[in-house]
Every structure is written in C-alpha cells, then in structure tokens.
Amino acid sequence: MCTGKCSRCIGVALYPLAVISIICNIILFFPGWETSYAKDGYITEEVKYMGGLVGGGLMVLVPALYIHVTGQQGCCANRCGMFLSIAFAAVGVAGALYSFIVAMLGLINGPYCRVLLIWMTPFKDKENSYLNNRDLWGLCTAPKDVVEFNIGLFAILLLTSSLQLVLCCSQMINGLFGCLCGTCTSKGVI
C-alpha cells in the first residue's frame, strides 16, 4: 500500500475516535444525566482532567487533519510532509496516552458519589477492586447508577484511546517510510 493512501486511511479512522472521546468526556460531566452535580462540583476527579476532550479529542483531531491532508495529492504529499506527519502523529500519541491514563485512573479509583450523607470516592485505594464486585456498587446512593455510568464511559474512552494510540504509532512508522521512500504520488498512484 502506498504511504499516502495509508495516511488518508489513518486520518479518516482518527476522526470518529476523536469525536467519540470528546462526546464521552462531555457526558461524564453529567452523572445521572443531571446538570446539578456538575454545577455543585460533585463529579469524579478524573472527569475534570478532561482526558477525552483534550487528550483523545483535540490532541488527536488536529494531527488527524494533518495526517489526512498528507495523504492527498498536493503540497503536503511529499517527503517533507510525511516527515511532519511523524511529529503530528507524536502529538496524537501523547494525547491518546493522556486519555488512556486518565480513563484508567477513572476506572481504578471509581466514581465520586454520595455514600449515606457524605460525598466521597468510596472505591479509591481499596485492596479489592469494585469492578468485579457488583454488590459494592450499591454504596453510591447519588447520582443514580453513577458506577455503571462511569464504568461505561471510561471503558469507551479506554478503548478509543487505545485505538488512537495504535493508529498514531502506525502513522509514525508510515511517515518514516514516506519520508524515506516517498508517497507514490510521482508514480501516478494516489
């Protein structure tokens, strides 16, 4: 496969992943589908880090645009453009790693919720994980179903950031080959 064509495919694949990351992070601000918790500051700490919005979202979306353009015939479809795509893909790797780490911490620490009358992170720093013990999930009395809410969205962020990481690393390798060997545009192949 031509390196330019591969860049286009990688760029196009990164778009929906970045959008999914942004949407998941925004939804995490509204546990129980209510705005009152965000307004009062009763949201999980890892949501405030905005790993999906900044890391998996913007830090991947900007490189995705450049990587996609690199695959097009024109000014960026050359050895220099492929070299720059390595740098942009490295930014994407950093963003995906940030999103991955924040999502992993969100899953490990668990949600910020009300236990009886006290707001806390009840599963943080516990010996046994709450993830495989559904009986513990009932400790959180508010927001409603916050444990399932956080697990679902942080798991999606974990998956999308993993895919972004693989795609951006692939583009770094593809960009290196494109920089050394060219993008196939001179051969009439797009």
Side-chain angles (χ1 to χ4, degrees):
M1 177 187 267
C2 176
T3 57
K5 196 175 199 178
C6 186
S7 290
R8 277 196 313 251
C9 292
I10 290 171
V12 168
L14 285 171
Y15 293 142
L17 294 174
V19 171
I20 290 168
S21 291
I22 291 169
I23 290 170
C24 283
N25 201 138
I26 290 171
I27 292 172
L28 276 165
F29 276 99
F30 307 105
W33 302 102
E34 294 183 29
T35 59
S36 61
Y37 298 112
K39 185 178 71 173
D40 297 336
Y42 296 131
I43 56 175
T44 304
E45 192 67 30
E46 289 79 13
V47 175
K48 298 174 189 174
Y49 298 157
M50 294 192 283
L53 188 65
V54 176
L58 298 176
M59 286 181 72
V60 170
L61 191 58
V62 172
L65 290 168
Y66 185 81
I67 291 167
H68 184 225
V69 169
T70 300
Q72 303 293 327
Q73 189 172 11
C75 65
C76 294
N78 56 34
R79 291 174 194 266
C80 182
M82 290 304 273
F83 177 74
L84 288 175
S85 79
I86 297 170
F88 276 95
V91 170
V93 166
L97 273 174
Y98 178 67
S99 181
F100 183 87
I101 291 167
V102 170
M104 184 66 77
L105 285 173
L107 282 173
I108 291 170
N109 294 335
Y112 185 74
C113 62
R114 188 174 68 208
V115 178
L116 299 175
L117 299 173
I118 301 169
W119 285 89
M120 61 190 293
T121 310
F123 309 117
K124 188 175 184 178
D125 300 327
K126 297 290 183 193
E127 238 178 74
N128 297 327
S129 175
Y130 73 100
L131 292 171
N132 48 355
N133 189 353
R134 245 181 121 83
D135 296 333
L136 291 176
W137 296 5
L139 285 174
C140 290
T141 57
K144 188 177 183 319
D145 299 325
V146 70
V147 177
E148 294 90 339
F149 187 82
N150 274 22
I151 289 174
L153 291 169
F154 277 124
I156 291 170
L157 281 173
L158 199 65
L159 179 66
T160 56
S161 62
S162 298
L163 292 171
Q164 289 169 339
L165 193 59
V166 168
L167 288 170
C168 288
C169 286
S170 298
Q171 178 56 33
M172 290 177 75
I173 295 166
N174 181 54
L176 180 63
F177 282 119
C179 183
L180 297 174
C181 305
T183 59
C184 304
T185 55
S186 60
K187 298 175 188 164
V189 179
I190 297 175

